Every structure is written in structure tokens, then in C-alpha cells.
């Protein structure tokens, strides 16, 4: 049985009436504890982000702990990928396997002695017992339950094995696990998001394994032991663990440890309400990075999908997320992720970067490398790689492009490579090619014509008004063809401002000479 009773706020009453004593609360310690059985995906990024925001808002610490006790499902490289992606996203842990810290090791497979000690304590106090049931017997229990339409559960058979038989089986080396004795009765606890919650694990399942035959702990024991020894004050994790919390609280009580406060985050789902799946392939953070998505875009869109903030708006940067985050505003409703809006989010954040001098310098270096990699020896004039030119391109294209990659597509090839256009091609558009190009070159010769696209566009309209047989649209097609060899793209005025006065004249002259 599982139910959420109600969400309430409460304060611990003062032990002495009429006396107000204030003690500074210790800085919170939170953790993101993924299993390296796969690479970091958007759901994991969101959980890590909420932990990061909570720690930064309260001046606490955010640590990364790798829960690698499920040895059969480990994915090579996943552990490094998780930390790499957190660093790329701008939310690096304060403590981790890579960064170190006072509470390490930060990998569970290196903490086995702690779990063994905790399991021994539970055995000695009668809260745990050895289980010698074979895999075959457990499979039979599972099949029998499924045939009768019941939820598979362990029948706690080994709870009643006499101590002398336990010692005999241990002496014989019979494989065994250690199980925790669940207390019957509903455990009521307060979740910071779901409120007062009750779940009776003993009524729904058998005693859980806490230490496997290979000496590795299960999630239940390992997370409790690590949260205690790492001094974790708040656990922000996915709501799929909500029904396990009563079990974890029983473990804390049995070990006589103080549990952390729990806050279970609602699930992050696809827009159609289906669960995010690693099999989709396109939910991994690394994939978005390879596609040119900015890290602040991902942080913005995963928080925009859910709750925990005063309002939802596109374009929030990390410092704004930290300021606006409010754990009490997180609702219990699942968060729907609309990746169709990803381009819109990325466009806004790319514009922010272009307008920031320091971040723009990084973009310029990245764009330069991409242009060299994509076009290489076909670049006609190396001046297109100079900072002032590329910066002008970014300023003119901001608000129009969603990623730097768009500046490498066919539409923008003219920015880096001079087109090959003949006079005959131009004359097929208008017989007044000479008049159009001559007027534009004269315009270029007059200083101040390229101050802005608005001013230049007005001048181009004036030129077109003086032509006898060519309308404004025809004149623009001539210039567009001569400058880019394309029939569509940015406005002609923007093309000219991007290329610069000298390059415009060079391209017009070359087109007339061919």
C-alpha cells in the first residue's frame, strides 16, 4: 500500500517556551549518485542540476558518487562520461572521484569494507540474517507468484533458520546473501515534495537482500551507508525511489543513524507522456553536445519542463536558475520535456553568448576551427578567419541561427568561399547587370554606406528605382547571385555588410569578368 497523505510545512517546537534561540544551520550536503551502467542522459542531468542548485542556493556542497555495485551492467567509459558532461554543463561537483574530497572514496566498489561492517552490525543486532536460498528456489517462487497473478516476493524462509544451522552452512561454504528484516506496519515520513507519505514495504515485498554473495551491497544498503558516512543532509532523487524510502529509513533506524531529509523529484517524461528511455539514443547529453546544443540550453529546457521556479521563461542562465530555484515550488506532477523547442532555446542562448564579450571570444575560436575543418583549402581569402570578420558575421546572424553549425551549411557557404558566377548567368536575370553593379560599386566608394543593413537597404532601393527595366526584386536577385551564387539566404544588405566593402567589389568584378 502506498499513499501520499498531505503536504505540510512544520517546525520543530522549541524545548523552552518564550525563549528564541537561533543556531546557524549547517551547510547542506547533497549528492548525485548515478550508476555508470550508461552515459548521462537528460533525466540524470536534471537530477544533478536540482542538487547543484540546492547546494549553491544554501552555500552547501554538491558531490558526485558513482554507484557501481551492479557489476554485470557496467558500461566502459560511462563513469568518465558522467563527470565530463557535468563539467561541460557548468555544474561540476565539489567532491568526486576526479576532484577528491574529505569523504572519499567516491566510488562504491572502493567502499566495500564499510558495507560489510554495516551488514555485520545488523546481523549482530538481529536486524539481518543469512539467506541460503538457491537461485532455483527463488525462480520457482517468482514463477508461482506470476502464475497466480501476484507480485513476486521472497517468503522470508531463512528468517527462521536456527543459529546452529546457520553456522553449519557457513562452515560448509554454502553460498549465501544477507537480508534485512523489514518491520511490519506502515512507516510514515515527510518528503519535501510529496509531503507526508506512507508505504509498508513488509506488506508488499519480502525481506530485501542488502549484501550479495559476491560481497557487493545492493542499492538499499550502499546508499544508506554512504549517505551516513558522507554526511549527506538532503537527498534529492527521482520519484521512482519514493516507495523505497521507508525501507531506507528502517535501515537508518536499525543502524542508529540520523537519516537525511528526502525530496523526490517528479519524473521527466517525453512530451507525449511516455518515459524517457536510453534506447531512444537521442536523450544522452553527449549527443546534444555533438549536435552543437549549448550546455545552458539543456539546463534551461529541463527546468522549463518541470517546476521549482517562480515562473517559466526561455533564456534563463545558470546564475538565474540558482537565484530563482525554490524546492517548495516543485510539484508532484511529472515534467513533460518538449524537445521540439530545443532550437528555440538554443537560439536564445547563442544570442546571449554572442552579446557577451568573453563568451563570444570562445565562440569565435570554435567557429574558426569548424570553418577550417569544413572548408579547409577551399577558403578563397584567409581574411575570413580574422576575428573582426567572424565577429561581424555572428552579430548579423544572431537571432537567426540556432547553432554555429548553421554557418557551415550550404546557405552560408558564400561567407567563406567566393562563388563562381558568370556574366551570362547574371544577364539571364536582368539586362541591366552593368548598371546595377556600377551603381553598387559607386555606393561602396562613398564612405558610410555599410554602417548598417537598414541604411544599406535604403540605398539599394534607391538604386533599383533608377533602373529602367528591372524591378527591385530583380536587382536583388542579380546581387544575391553575384555575391553568393544562391537564390535564397539572408538579405542582400546583410550579405554585403557581412562580406565587407572590399570583398563585395571583388565579387562583383569577378562576376563581370567571367
Amino acid at each position: 500500500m502506498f499513499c501520499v497523505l498531505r503536504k505540510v510545512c512544520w517546525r520543530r517546537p522549541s524545548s523552552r517556551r518564550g525563549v528564541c534561540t537561533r543556531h546557524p544551520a549547517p551547510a547542506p550536503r547533497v549528492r548525485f549518485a548515478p550508476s555508470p551502467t550508461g552515459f548521462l542522459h537528460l533525466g540524470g542531468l536534471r537530477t544533478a542540476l536540482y542538487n547543484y542548485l540546492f547546494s549553491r542556493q544554501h552555500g552547501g556542497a554538491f558531490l558526485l558518487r558513482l554507484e557501481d555495485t551492479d557489476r554485470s551492467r557496467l558500461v566502459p567509459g560511462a563513469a568518465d562520461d558522467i563527470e565530463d558532461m557535468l563539467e561541460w554543463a557548468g555544474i561540476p561537483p565539489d567532491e568526486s572521484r576526479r576532484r577528491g574530497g574529505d569523504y572519499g572514496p567516491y566510488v562504491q566498489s572502493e567502499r566495500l569494507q564499510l558495507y560489510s561492517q554495516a551488514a555485520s552490525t545488523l546481523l549482530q543486532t538481529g536486524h539481518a540474517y543469512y539467506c541460503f536460498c538457491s537461485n532455483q528456489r527463488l525462480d520457482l517462487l517468482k514463477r508461482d507468484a506470476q502464475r497466480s497473478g501476484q507480485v513476486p516476493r521472497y517468503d522470508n524462509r531463512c528468517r527462521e533458520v536456527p543459529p546452529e544451522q546457520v553456522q553449519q552452512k557457513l562452515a560448509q561454504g554454502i553460498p549465501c546473501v544477507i537480508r534485512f528484516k523489514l518491520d511490519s506496519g506502515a512507516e510514515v515520513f515527510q518528503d519535501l515534495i510529496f509531503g507526508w507519505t506512507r508505504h509498508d514495504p513488509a506488506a508488499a515485498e519480502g525481506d530485501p537482500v542488502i549484501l550479495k554473495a559476491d560481497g557487493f551491497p545492493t542499492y538499499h544498503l550502499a546508499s544508506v551507508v554512504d549517505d551516513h558516512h558522507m554526511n549527506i543532509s538532503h537527498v534529492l532523487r527521482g520519484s521512482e525511489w519514493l516507495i523505497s524510502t521507508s525501507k531506507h529509513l528502517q535501515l537508518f533506524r536499525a543502524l542508529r543513524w540520523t537519516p537525511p531529509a528526502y525530496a523526490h523529484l517528479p519524473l521527466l517524461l517525453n512530451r507525449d507522456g511516455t518515459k524517457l528511455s536510453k534506447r531512444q539514443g537521442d536523450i544522452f547529453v553527449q549527443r546534444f553536445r555533438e549536435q552543437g546544443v549549448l550546455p545552458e540550453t539543456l539546463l534551461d529546457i529541463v527546468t522549463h519542463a518541470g517546476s521549482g521556479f517562480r515562473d517559466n521563461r526561455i533564456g534563463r542562465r545558470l546564475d538565474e536558475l540558482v537565484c530563482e530555484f525554490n524546492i517548495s515550488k516543485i510539484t508532484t506532477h511529472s515534467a513533460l520535456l518538449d524537445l521540439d523547442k530545443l532550437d528555440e532555446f538554443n537560439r536564445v542562448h547563442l544570442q546571449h553568448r554572442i552579446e557577451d564579450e568573453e563568451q563570444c571570444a570562445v565562440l569565435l575560436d570554435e567557429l574558426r576551427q569548424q570553418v577550417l575543418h569544413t572548408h579547409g583549402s577551399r577558403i578563397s581569402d584567409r581574411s575570413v578567419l580574422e576575428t573582426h570578420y567572424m565577429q561581424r558575421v555572428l552579430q548579423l546572424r544572431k537571432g537567426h541561427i540556432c547553432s554555429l553549425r548553421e554557418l557551415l551549411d550550404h546557405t552560408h557557404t558564400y561567407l567563406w568561399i567566393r562563388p563562381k558566377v558568370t556574366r551570362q548567368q547574371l544577364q539571364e536575370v536582368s539586362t541591366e547587370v552593368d548598371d546595377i553593379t556600377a551603381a553598387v560599386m559607386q555606393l561602396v566608394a562613398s564612405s558610410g554606406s555599410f554602417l548598417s543593413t537598414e541604411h544599406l537597404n535604403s540605398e539599394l532601393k534607391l538604386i533599383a528605382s533608377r533602373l529602367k527595366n528591372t524591378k527591385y526584386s530583380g536587382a536583388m536577385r542579380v546581387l544575391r547571385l553575384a555575391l553568393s551564387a544562391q537564390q535564397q539566404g539572408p538579405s542582400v544588405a546583410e550579405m554585403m555588410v557581412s562580406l565587407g566593402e572590399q570583398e563585395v567589389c571583388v565579387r562583383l568584378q569577378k562576376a563581370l569578368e567571367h
Side-chain angles (χ1 to χ4, degrees), residues 56 62 106-107 136 166 170 173 186 193-194 198 201 216 228 269 276 298 403 408 411 453 456 512:
R56 289 299 175 267
F62 166 57
Y106 294 90
V107 182
Q136 291 83 355
V166 170
L170 290 175
I193 295 173
F194 283 81
R198 174 188 292 131
F216 280 84
H228 169 74
L269 305 178
L276 291 180
L298 290 185
S403 71
L408 307 174
T411 305
T453 55
L456 182 55
L512 293 176

PDB file of all heavy atoms in Angstrom, residues 56 62 106-107 136 166 170 173 186 193-194 198 201 216 228 269 276 298 403 408 411 453 456 512:
ATOM      1  N   ARG A  56      24.062  25.308  -4.143  1.00  0.00           N
ATOM      2  CA  ARG A  56      24.568  26.667  -4.372  1.00  0.00           C
ATOM      3  C   ARG A  56      23.685  27.704  -3.677  1.00  0.00           C
ATOM      4  O   ARG A  56      24.179  28.710  -3.172  1.00  0.00           O
ATOM      5  CB  ARG A  56      24.643  26.963  -5.870  1.00  0.00           C
ATOM      6  CG  ARG A  56      25.733  26.210  -6.594  1.00  0.00           C
ATOM      7  CD  ARG A  56      27.112  26.588  -6.037  1.00  0.00           C
ATOM      8  NE  ARG A  56      28.178  25.799  -6.640  1.00  0.00           N
ATOM      9  CZ  ARG A  56      28.653  24.671  -6.133  1.00  0.00           C
ATOM     10  NH1 ARG A  56      28.129  24.167  -5.025  1.00  0.00           N
ATOM     11  NH2 ARG A  56      29.645  24.030  -6.712  1.00  0.00           N
ATOM     12  N   PHE A  62      28.074  19.962  -3.233  1.00  0.00           N
ATOM     13  CA  PHE A  62      27.443  19.054  -4.200  1.00  0.00           C
ATOM     14  C   PHE A  62      28.480  18.012  -4.585  1.00  0.00           C
ATOM     15  O   PHE A  62      29.546  18.346  -5.107  1.00  0.00           O
ATOM     16  CB  PHE A  62      26.983  19.858  -5.410  1.00  0.00           C
ATOM     17  CG  PHE A  62      26.621  19.028  -6.610  1.00  0.00           C
ATOM     18  CD1 PHE A  62      25.655  18.037  -6.533  1.00  0.00           C
ATOM     19  CD2 PHE A  62      27.242  19.254  -7.843  1.00  0.00           C
ATOM     20  CE1 PHE A  62      25.325  17.279  -7.649  1.00  0.00           C
ATOM     21  CE2 PHE A  62      26.911  18.506  -8.962  1.00  0.00           C
ATOM     22  CZ  PHE A  62      25.947  17.519  -8.864  1.00  0.00           C
ATOM     23  N   TYR A 106      34.821   8.001  -3.655  1.00  0.00           N
ATOM     24  CA  TYR A 106      33.517   8.379  -4.178  1.00  0.00           C
ATOM     25  C   TYR A 106      32.981   7.363  -5.185  1.00  0.00           C
ATOM     26  O   TYR A 106      32.096   7.665  -5.966  1.00  0.00           O
ATOM     27  CB  TYR A 106      33.598   9.779  -4.796  1.00  0.00           C
ATOM     28  CG  TYR A 106      33.884  10.844  -3.743  1.00  0.00           C
ATOM     29  CD1 TYR A 106      35.181  11.200  -3.420  1.00  0.00           C
ATOM     30  CD2 TYR A 106      32.843  11.443  -3.051  1.00  0.00           C
ATOM     31  CE1 TYR A 106      35.448  12.144  -2.439  1.00  0.00           C
ATOM     32  CE2 TYR A 106      33.094  12.392  -2.069  1.00  0.00           C
ATOM     33  CZ  TYR A 106      34.394  12.739  -1.762  1.00  0.00           C
ATOM     34  OH  TYR A 106      34.636  13.675  -0.776  1.00  0.00           O
ATOM     35  N   VAL A 107      33.553   6.163  -5.119  1.00  0.00           N
ATOM     36  CA  VAL A 107      33.103   5.039  -5.946  1.00  0.00           C
ATOM     37  C   VAL A 107      32.759   3.893  -5.008  1.00  0.00           C
ATOM     38  O   VAL A 107      33.577   3.497  -4.172  1.00  0.00           O
ATOM     39  CB  VAL A 107      34.194   4.608  -6.942  1.00  0.00           C
ATOM     40  CG1 VAL A 107      33.690   3.477  -7.819  1.00  0.00           C
ATOM     41  CG2 VAL A 107      34.649   5.783  -7.800  1.00  0.00           C
ATOM     42  N   GLN A 136      17.566 -21.215  -7.946  1.00  0.00           N
ATOM     43  CA  GLN A 136      16.495 -22.051  -8.473  1.00  0.00           C
ATOM     44  C   GLN A 136      15.227 -21.907  -7.621  1.00  0.00           C
ATOM     45  O   GLN A 136      14.121 -21.786  -8.151  1.00  0.00           O
ATOM     46  CB  GLN A 136      16.923 -23.527  -8.510  1.00  0.00           C
ATOM     47  CG  GLN A 136      18.000 -23.834  -9.553  1.00  0.00           C
ATOM     48  CD  GLN A 136      19.402 -23.512  -9.054  1.00  0.00           C
ATOM     49  OE1 GLN A 136      19.570 -22.976  -7.957  1.00  0.00           O
ATOM     50  NE2 GLN A 136      20.398 -23.829  -9.871  1.00  0.00           N
ATOM     51  N   VAL A 166      22.723 -22.161  10.788  1.00  0.00           N
ATOM     52  CA  VAL A 166      23.374 -21.058  10.058  1.00  0.00           C
ATOM     53  C   VAL A 166      24.886 -21.237  10.114  1.00  0.00           C
ATOM     54  O   VAL A 166      25.578 -21.164   9.093  1.00  0.00           O
ATOM     55  CB  VAL A 166      22.975 -19.698  10.669  1.00  0.00           C
ATOM     56  CG1 VAL A 166      23.839 -18.583  10.077  1.00  0.00           C
ATOM     57  CG2 VAL A 166      21.500 -19.420  10.433  1.00  0.00           C
ATOM     58  N   LEU A 170      27.441 -21.958   6.992  1.00  0.00           N
ATOM     59  CA  LEU A 170      28.568 -21.056   6.731  1.00  0.00           C
ATOM     60  C   LEU A 170      29.874 -21.837   6.725  1.00  0.00           C
ATOM     61  O   LEU A 170      30.763 -21.592   5.884  1.00  0.00           O
ATOM     62  CB  LEU A 170      28.615 -19.948   7.786  1.00  0.00           C
ATOM     63  CG  LEU A 170      27.497 -18.898   7.749  1.00  0.00           C
ATOM     64  CD1 LEU A 170      27.617 -17.951   8.941  1.00  0.00           C
ATOM     65  CD2 LEU A 170      27.546 -18.107   6.436  1.00  0.00           C
ATOM     66  N   GLY A 173      30.563 -23.540   3.595  1.00  0.00           N
ATOM     67  CA  GLY A 173      30.814 -22.673   2.438  1.00  0.00           C
ATOM     68  C   GLY A 173      29.648 -22.569   1.479  1.00  0.00           C
ATOM     69  O   GLY A 173      29.838 -22.285   0.283  1.00  0.00           O
ATOM     70  N   ALA A 186       3.097   0.421   8.618  1.00  0.00           N
ATOM     71  CA  ALA A 186       3.397   1.499   7.692  1.00  0.00           C
ATOM     72  C   ALA A 186       4.358   2.497   8.316  1.00  0.00           C
ATOM     73  O   ALA A 186       4.154   2.963   9.431  1.00  0.00           O
ATOM     74  CB  ALA A 186       2.114   2.207   7.268  1.00  0.00           C
ATOM     75  N   ILE A 193       8.751  17.164  -1.088  1.00  0.00           N
ATOM     76  CA  ILE A 193       7.933  17.451  -2.272  1.00  0.00           C
ATOM     77  C   ILE A 193       6.572  16.769  -2.168  1.00  0.00           C
ATOM     78  O   ILE A 193       5.531  17.390  -2.382  1.00  0.00           O
ATOM     79  CB  ILE A 193       8.667  17.010  -3.548  1.00  0.00           C
ATOM     80  CG1 ILE A 193       9.939  17.843  -3.737  1.00  0.00           C
ATOM     81  CG2 ILE A 193       7.751  17.133  -4.775  1.00  0.00           C
ATOM     82  CD1 ILE A 193      10.834  17.388  -4.855  1.00  0.00           C
ATOM     83  N   PHE A 194       6.551  15.500  -1.815  1.00  0.00           N
ATOM     84  CA  PHE A 194       5.303  14.732  -1.772  1.00  0.00           C
ATOM     85  C   PHE A 194       4.582  14.816  -0.432  1.00  0.00           C
ATOM     86  O   PHE A 194       3.484  14.288  -0.282  1.00  0.00           O
ATOM     87  CB  PHE A 194       5.579  13.267  -2.124  1.00  0.00           C
ATOM     88  CG  PHE A 194       5.778  13.030  -3.597  1.00  0.00           C
ATOM     89  CD1 PHE A 194       7.005  13.293  -4.199  1.00  0.00           C
ATOM     90  CD2 PHE A 194       4.744  12.562  -4.391  1.00  0.00           C
ATOM     91  CE1 PHE A 194       7.194  13.087  -5.569  1.00  0.00           C
ATOM     92  CE2 PHE A 194       4.926  12.353  -5.748  1.00  0.00           C
ATOM     93  CZ  PHE A 194       6.150  12.619  -6.332  1.00  0.00           C
ATOM     94  N   ARG A 198       3.175   7.404   3.287  1.00  0.00           N
ATOM     95  CA  ARG A 198       3.176   6.102   3.963  1.00  0.00           C
ATOM     96  C   ARG A 198       3.370   4.994   2.925  1.00  0.00           C
ATOM     97  O   ARG A 198       2.724   4.978   1.895  1.00  0.00           O
ATOM     98  CB  ARG A 198       1.870   5.882   4.719  1.00  0.00           C
ATOM     99  CG  ARG A 198       1.760   4.476   5.312  1.00  0.00           C
ATOM    100  CD  ARG A 198       0.381   4.203   5.891  1.00  0.00           C
ATOM    101  NE  ARG A 198       0.134   5.013   7.090  1.00  0.00           N
ATOM    102  CZ  ARG A 198      -0.949   5.730   7.298  1.00  0.00           C
ATOM    103  NH1 ARG A 198      -1.888   5.764   6.358  1.00  0.00           N
ATOM    104  NH2 ARG A 198      -1.112   6.411   8.408  1.00  0.00           N
ATOM    105  N   PRO A 201       6.625  -1.517   3.214  1.00  0.00           N
ATOM    106  CA  PRO A 201       7.365  -2.460   2.361  1.00  0.00           C
ATOM    107  C   PRO A 201       7.187  -3.906   2.788  1.00  0.00           C
ATOM    108  O   PRO A 201       7.204  -4.815   1.959  1.00  0.00           O
ATOM    109  CB  PRO A 201       8.821  -2.002   2.504  1.00  0.00           C
ATOM    110  CG  PRO A 201       8.868  -1.251   3.796  1.00  0.00           C
ATOM    111  CD  PRO A 201       7.527  -0.617   3.953  1.00  0.00           C
ATOM    112  N   PHE A 216      29.306  -7.625  -2.635  1.00  0.00           N
ATOM    113  CA  PHE A 216      28.872  -6.287  -3.045  1.00  0.00           C
ATOM    114  C   PHE A 216      27.486  -5.999  -2.471  1.00  0.00           C
ATOM    115  O   PHE A 216      26.629  -6.888  -2.431  1.00  0.00           O
ATOM    116  CB  PHE A 216      28.832  -6.169  -4.564  1.00  0.00           C
ATOM    117  CG  PHE A 216      30.174  -5.930  -5.179  1.00  0.00           C
ATOM    118  CD1 PHE A 216      31.026  -6.989  -5.441  1.00  0.00           C
ATOM    119  CD2 PHE A 216      30.594  -4.639  -5.493  1.00  0.00           C
ATOM    120  CE1 PHE A 216      32.274  -6.771  -6.005  1.00  0.00           C
ATOM    121  CE2 PHE A 216      31.839  -4.413  -6.055  1.00  0.00           C
ATOM    122  CZ  PHE A 216      32.682  -5.478  -6.319  1.00  0.00           C
ATOM    123  N   HIS A 228      25.214   8.236   5.143  1.00  0.00           N
ATOM    124  CA  HIS A 228      25.624   8.477   6.537  1.00  0.00           C
ATOM    125  C   HIS A 228      27.090   8.895   6.605  1.00  0.00           C
ATOM    126  O   HIS A 228      27.419   9.934   7.204  1.00  0.00           O
ATOM    127  CB  HIS A 228      25.391   7.224   7.375  1.00  0.00           C
ATOM    128  CG  HIS A 228      26.031   7.305   8.735  1.00  0.00           C
ATOM    129  ND1 HIS A 228      25.525   8.095   9.745  1.00  0.00           N
ATOM    130  CD2 HIS A 228      27.157   6.710   9.239  1.00  0.00           C
ATOM    131  CE1 HIS A 228      26.292   7.984  10.818  1.00  0.00           C
ATOM    132  NE2 HIS A 228      27.282   7.147  10.539  1.00  0.00           N
ATOM    133  N   LEU A 269       9.444  13.218 -18.420  1.00  0.00           N
ATOM    134  CA  LEU A 269       8.850  12.382 -19.459  1.00  0.00           C
ATOM    135  C   LEU A 269       8.926  13.059 -20.821  1.00  0.00           C
ATOM    136  O   LEU A 269       9.159  14.264 -20.927  1.00  0.00           O
ATOM    137  CB  LEU A 269       7.370  12.105 -19.123  1.00  0.00           C
ATOM    138  CG  LEU A 269       7.067  11.490 -17.757  1.00  0.00           C
ATOM    139  CD1 LEU A 269       5.565  11.346 -17.579  1.00  0.00           C
ATOM    140  CD2 LEU A 269       7.757  10.137 -17.612  1.00  0.00           C
ATOM    141  N   LEU A 276      11.198   8.605 -20.626  1.00  0.00           N
ATOM    142  CA  LEU A 276      12.460   8.724 -21.345  1.00  0.00           C
ATOM    143  C   LEU A 276      13.171   7.383 -21.295  1.00  0.00           C
ATOM    144  O   LEU A 276      13.255   6.752 -20.244  1.00  0.00           O
ATOM    145  CB  LEU A 276      13.351   9.786 -20.705  1.00  0.00           C
ATOM    146  CG  LEU A 276      12.922  11.259 -20.821  1.00  0.00           C
ATOM    147  CD1 LEU A 276      13.938  12.140 -20.113  1.00  0.00           C
ATOM    148  CD2 LEU A 276      12.796  11.675 -22.268  1.00  0.00           C
ATOM    149  N   LEU A 298      20.432  23.129 -22.452  1.00  0.00           N
ATOM    150  CA  LEU A 298      19.914  21.913 -21.828  1.00  0.00           C
ATOM    151  C   LEU A 298      19.443  22.180 -20.401  1.00  0.00           C
ATOM    152  O   LEU A 298      18.394  21.686 -19.980  1.00  0.00           O
ATOM    153  CB  LEU A 298      20.984  20.814 -21.836  1.00  0.00           C
ATOM    154  CG  LEU A 298      21.344  20.209 -23.195  1.00  0.00           C
ATOM    155  CD1 LEU A 298      22.319  19.064 -23.016  1.00  0.00           C
ATOM    156  CD2 LEU A 298      20.106  19.732 -23.936  1.00  0.00           C
ATOM    157  N   SER A 403      22.613  27.395 -34.022  1.00  0.00           N
ATOM    158  CA  SER A 403      23.913  26.872 -33.618  1.00  0.00           C
ATOM    159  C   SER A 403      24.963  27.342 -34.612  1.00  0.00           C
ATOM    160  O   SER A 403      24.643  27.768 -35.736  1.00  0.00           O
ATOM    161  CB  SER A 403      23.904  25.340 -33.557  1.00  0.00           C
ATOM    162  OG  SER A 403      23.842  24.793 -34.863  1.00  0.00           O
ATOM    163  N   LEU A 408      27.910  26.780 -41.377  1.00  0.00           N
ATOM    164  CA  LEU A 408      28.734  25.933 -42.238  1.00  0.00           C
ATOM    165  C   LEU A 408      27.902  25.248 -43.324  1.00  0.00           C
ATOM    166  O   LEU A 408      28.456  24.537 -44.162  1.00  0.00           O
ATOM    167  CB  LEU A 408      29.440  24.866 -41.397  1.00  0.00           C
ATOM    168  CG  LEU A 408      30.242  25.388 -40.197  1.00  0.00           C
ATOM    169  CD1 LEU A 408      30.767  24.219 -39.378  1.00  0.00           C
ATOM    170  CD2 LEU A 408      31.385  26.270 -40.658  1.00  0.00           C
ATOM    171  N   THR A 411      23.682  27.307 -47.262  1.00  0.00           N
ATOM    172  CA  THR A 411      23.162  28.676 -47.312  1.00  0.00           C
ATOM    173  C   THR A 411      24.235  29.702 -46.965  1.00  0.00           C
ATOM    174  O   THR A 411      24.202  30.834 -47.466  1.00  0.00           O
ATOM    175  CB  THR A 411      21.976  28.826 -46.328  1.00  0.00           C
ATOM    176  OG1 THR A 411      21.001  27.836 -46.626  1.00  0.00           O
ATOM    177  CG2 THR A 411      21.351  30.199 -46.434  1.00  0.00           C
ATOM    178  N   THR A 453      22.613  47.456 -41.967  1.00  0.00           N
ATOM    179  CA  THR A 453      21.822  46.839 -43.034  1.00  0.00           C
ATOM    180  C   THR A 453      20.623  47.711 -43.386  1.00  0.00           C
ATOM    181  O   THR A 453      20.213  47.757 -44.548  1.00  0.00           O
ATOM    182  CB  THR A 453      21.336  45.447 -42.588  1.00  0.00           C
ATOM    183  OG1 THR A 453      20.617  45.562 -41.357  1.00  0.00           O
ATOM    184  CG2 THR A 453      22.502  44.496 -42.395  1.00  0.00           C
ATOM    185  N   LEU A 456      21.927  50.525 -45.678  1.00  0.00           N
ATOM    186  CA  LEU A 456      22.315  49.968 -46.969  1.00  0.00           C
ATOM    187  C   LEU A 456      21.094  49.524 -47.769  1.00  0.00           C
ATOM    188  O   LEU A 456      21.041  49.719 -48.993  1.00  0.00           O
ATOM    189  CB  LEU A 456      23.266  48.788 -46.748  1.00  0.00           C
ATOM    190  CG  LEU A 456      23.820  48.114 -48.012  1.00  0.00           C
ATOM    191  CD1 LEU A 456      24.505  49.127 -48.929  1.00  0.00           C
ATOM    192  CD2 LEU A 456      24.789  46.998 -47.636  1.00  0.00           C
ATOM    193  N   LEU A 512      31.592  39.947 -63.449  1.00  0.00           N
ATOM    194  CA  LEU A 512      31.523  40.640 -64.743  1.00  0.00           C
ATOM    195  C   LEU A 512      32.610  40.164 -65.700  1.00  0.00           C
ATOM    196  O   LEU A 512      32.428  40.144 -66.921  1.00  0.00           O
ATOM    197  CB  LEU A 512      31.654  42.155 -64.528  1.00  0.00           C
ATOM    198  CG  LEU A 512      30.497  42.828 -63.786  1.00  0.00           C
ATOM    199  CD1 LEU A 512      30.806  44.303 -63.564  1.00  0.00           C
ATOM    200  CD2 LEU A 512      29.196  42.670 -64.554  1.00  0.00           C
TER     201      LEU A 512
END
